[in-house]
Structures are given as structure tokens and as C-alpha cells.
Amino acid sequence: MTATRHLIGLLLGTEEDWPRAFEEILGRLGRITGPDGSRHAFEVERITIEPFGLRDKPRYNLAIDRLAYWYYHPREWLKKVALMDGVYLLNSPFTFQSMEKHAAYCAMMRLGLHVPETVLVPFKNPLDNSRYAYTAARYNQPFDLDAIAERIGYPLFMKPYDGGAWRGVSRISNPSELHAAYNASGEMLMHLQKAVDDYDVFARSLSIGAETMVMRFQPDQPMHQRYAVDHSFLAPSAGTEVVTIGRLVNAFFRWELNSCETLVAGDEVYPIDYANACPDLALTSLHYYFPWAIKALVKWCVFVLVTGRRARLDLETGRFFAIADEPGASYGDKLAAYASLTDAYFDSERYHDFCATSLGHLDEVVLDWVAGPGFDQLLVDTVRSVYPADEHDQFIAHLRGLTGLWADDESSRLRS
């Protein structure tokens, strides 16, 4: 039987580790039989940036985007192939503005999540725009920054409304720190957000399609130590809520590759950051969790292409708001209803059935590669490209230890 060929395009910036891993695993996957008996073959290619006609037909069936959040030419190409050609995208280029955090805060507050009190304050310094002086003189209202901070309550965080790699984030405990941070913000547009003090644990969840991995995050540690290998750091109820929140924001905005940060204090779960156009997929930071991430990405892409899943560009926000506005519904009732919507969006049951029947061999494929010399070479190459020469041995040993632990755990899991 002739196999249907599917071409996956990678739109990349400076990353090299996970694309090499993705290309290797997809190459080892072989042909896949769909639920209907059809045969499917997969290829992957790195997308180049060049002029394109708006009626040009793209070669790709699916594109994984890691670049267009800052590079506008490929962003417009993504919009064109989504609107005109039905190319499946990870992620939607039509909600990038929401990935500047502000709209995501607003949406999740509207849905009743426990987002800390947040205020958007005007720019500290005038914008580089000839119209600014007139507009500011006529329409900008004076405001009392201290009064806003007092109303929110110290301690608080000042952070850019568009976020990104913890740029410009300050923890503020008093008025002098408040004014120093605001004066330093320049032309960055800033949120003030109530700090969640005395939280028990910081959880960071990485979602890829219908799968989510919740990891214990240690923000005060260097990047290679921020993700702790800890399989039982959340109570079952908190773990369910953290997963539901991450999946909810993704289904709401039609994001299928995103990360979510939540603070857990007692029985309360506070989402503080959950819009990331380019979530962390690096070997050097994810280490133990890196094989899971690559496997989940391969599985979701193959599922989308084999089953003919169509991109949903419309947000259908009214369905979510109807749950939020349900009279008498408790927070738990709403979370359960949101979970049903997200399961429907991600087609979770069909996805897991597909993985069991059509991708049952993928676990062994990934384990075999991670335990072999090809992965070790990727690990060594990555360390050499990231760290100074005098730190190579240290970080090679560090990553070998953690990924070796994953291989041992995965081998035990598959034998059980």
C-alpha cells in the first residue's frame, strides 16, 4: 500500500538540541498505520525565510513555530498558510498578542481562576513617537504609584506585560524598591502583581498537545538546576488543578505548545504566568524531562497528520464564559466543566487510543536512542555550544547522570 507522505516544517531561531532530537526520533519512527489501515510516512525539514507569494502553495502539512513571536516575516507566512492552505500550526499566530501575558491574565480572571491582584501602569518614559507629547498632555491622567502599591499590598512583583525569560522582573518589598524598579522600566509597559508569599511549591507545567508534564521548579537556582526530579511534590488534588489550568488556557487560546507557572499554597493554586510563545525545550534545562518532551511532540504531530485533525482558529470564548457565569456553580464545578471542554478540544480520548494502537513502539524507539551513542553525542555537542570550555566536563557529567536516570526509570516502567 502506498503511504501518504507528510512533511513537517521547523521554524527555528538559535535552537539546535531539540530539533536534532525531533528529527532523529521521527526518522526512527518508520511508517505508521492509521486507525483506518492507511499507511503514513513522515519527513521533517527546517523552514527557510524568503519572499513568498500570497497564492504560493506551501510544501508543509504541519509547522512547529519557534521564531515568529519576534520575527514578523515568518509570522505573516504562518498566517497566510493557516488562512489559505490549511497548514496545521503549533502555535496559532493569531493569538500572539495574548501571549504578551496581559490578555491571558484577563481571560483567566474572567474564567474565575485565582490570579493574584494585578494592575497595569503607564510607561515610565515617553514613547519614541512624535504624537506622544500631545496625547500625554491632553489625556494622560496623573496617578499615585505608591497608592496603587499600597492597595495591592507588599510584597509585589513588577514585570513587563509581555514577559519573556524573566526580563525586567523585580520583587518589591517597599516604596523605595517600587520607585527604583519603575524608574528602571523605561519604555517597558509594566504590571504590578501581588506576590504569593509563603507558597509551598512552584510548579511549571509543559503542555504539548494533549499531554502535560508538571515539574517542580526552583526559580532561585541556576537554569540547569531549576527543574527538580520529583514525582510526588503535589497532592493529587493540587496536581489535577495545575494540569487543568494549563490545559484550559491552551484550549482557550488554541495553543498546543505552551508552559504554565503556578504557585501552590496550602489548598490554593495561583496561576502566575501561562503564556509562552517559545516554551523551554532545551536539553540543558529540561535534562531528565527532555526525552518526554521530544516524544510528546512527535506523538502530537503524528496524531494530527494521520487523523486529519484540522486547526481551530476560532476561539469560541462564549463556551468558556458560559461556564464561568453559571449561577451557583462552585470553583470545583467550573474546573470540571473546563476540563471537559479541554478534553474535547484536544480530542484526548482519541489521541490516547491512537498512541496505544499506532505508536505503541515509540517508547522503545526513544529509550533505545537516549541510551545510545547518538543521544550522548547530542548531549556533548549541546554542552560544548552552551558552556565555556572549563565547565564542559561538569555539565556533561551532570546531564549524563540525569538523562541516564530517565533511561533507567523508563526501562523499569516498560518492564513492569
Side-chain angles (χ1 to χ4, degrees), residues 111 123 128 133 151 160-161 175 193 195 204 210 213 234 242 247 272 275 298 317 321 398 412:
L111 296 183
F123 297 99
D128 184 15
R151 186 174 78 245
Y161 87 109
Q193 187 172 82
R204 192 170 205 182
M213 177 64 71
L234 288 176
V242 168
R247 287 165 52 82
I272 60 167
V298 168
T317 56
F321 293 153
H398 175 74
S412 297

Side-chain angles (χ1 to χ4, degrees), residues 88-96 98-99 107-108 207 209 246-258 274 276 300 309-320 338 340-347:
Y88 201 98
L89 306 180
L90 275 61
N91 279 320
S92 169
F94 301 102
T95 52
F96 272 129
S98 300
M99 283 190 159
M108 295 304 107
S207 291
R247 287 165 52 82
L248 169 60
V249 70
N250 293 345
F252 185 93
F253 286 111
R254 307 313 195 210
W255 299 335
E256 299 177 6
L257 180 56
N258 189 32
Y274 37 86
N276 197 328
W300 184 249
R309 177 179 167 89
R310 302 299 298 270
R312 302 252 296 273
L313 303 180
D314 53 313
L315 298 186
E316 300 180 302
T317 56
R319 301 174 66 201
F320 295 88
Y338 292 144
S340 295
L341 281 187
T342 60
D343 279 337
Y345 173 70
F346 288 109
D347 209 355

Side-chain angles (χ1 to χ4, degrees), residues 11-180:
L11 191 57
L12 304 172
T14 61
E15 300 163 296
E16 187 62 28
D17 50 359
W18 78 260
R20 278 178 58 183
F22 183 86
E23 291 161 347
E24 179 69 27
I25 294 302
L26 198 69
R28 291 174 174 233
L29 185 62
R31 295 188 175 187
I32 296 298
T33 301
D36 60 355
S38 58
R39 298 284 287 166
H40 300 264
F42 302 89
E43 297 177 26
V44 60
E45 183 179 285
R46 301 189 183 195
I47 301 171
T48 57
I49 298 164
E50 53 196 276
F52 63 88
L54 301 196
R55 291 189 174 86
D56 291 351
K57 293 299 180 184
R59 298 168 48 244
Y60 307 99
N61 306 104
L62 181 149
I64 302 173
D65 166 45
R66 303 280 290 179
L67 180 62
Y69 71 101
W70 67 267
Y71 200 164
Y72 292 167
H73 184 279
R75 184 189 299 190
E76 299 313 307
W77 178 82
L78 290 168
K79 291 177 183 176
K80 169 261 190 288
V81 299
L83 289 171
M84 298 184 68
D85 307 300
V87 175
Y88 201 98
L89 306 180
L90 275 61
N91 279 320
S92 169
F94 301 102
T95 52
F96 272 129
Q97 201 70 26
S98 300
M99 283 190 159
E100 290 177 341
K101 318 298 182 189
H102 181 75
Y105 282 149
C106 295
M108 295 304 107
M109 287 180 179
R110 174 71 173 82
L111 296 183
L113 300 190
H114 300 151
V115 180
E117 185 66 24
T118 307
V119 175
L120 185 70
V121 296
F123 297 99
K124 169 61 181 177
N125 292 344
L127 295 175
D128 184 15
N129 189 302
S130 60
R131 296 164 290 189
Y132 178 82
Y134 176 86
T135 301
R138 184 164 185 180
Y139 297 112
N140 280 21
Q141 288 292 315
F143 67 96
D144 188 335
L145 186 64
D146 291 294
I148 294 171
E150 288 291 341
R151 186 174 78 245
I152 295 173
Y154 291 104
L156 54 85
F157 282 91
M158 181 178 291
K159 51 187 178 179
Y161 87 109
D162 53 351
W166 295 50
R167 169 180 57 88
V169 176
S170 302
R171 190 179 192 277
I172 295 168
S173 301
N174 55 58
S176 63
E177 292 177 357
L178 172 71
H179 286 277

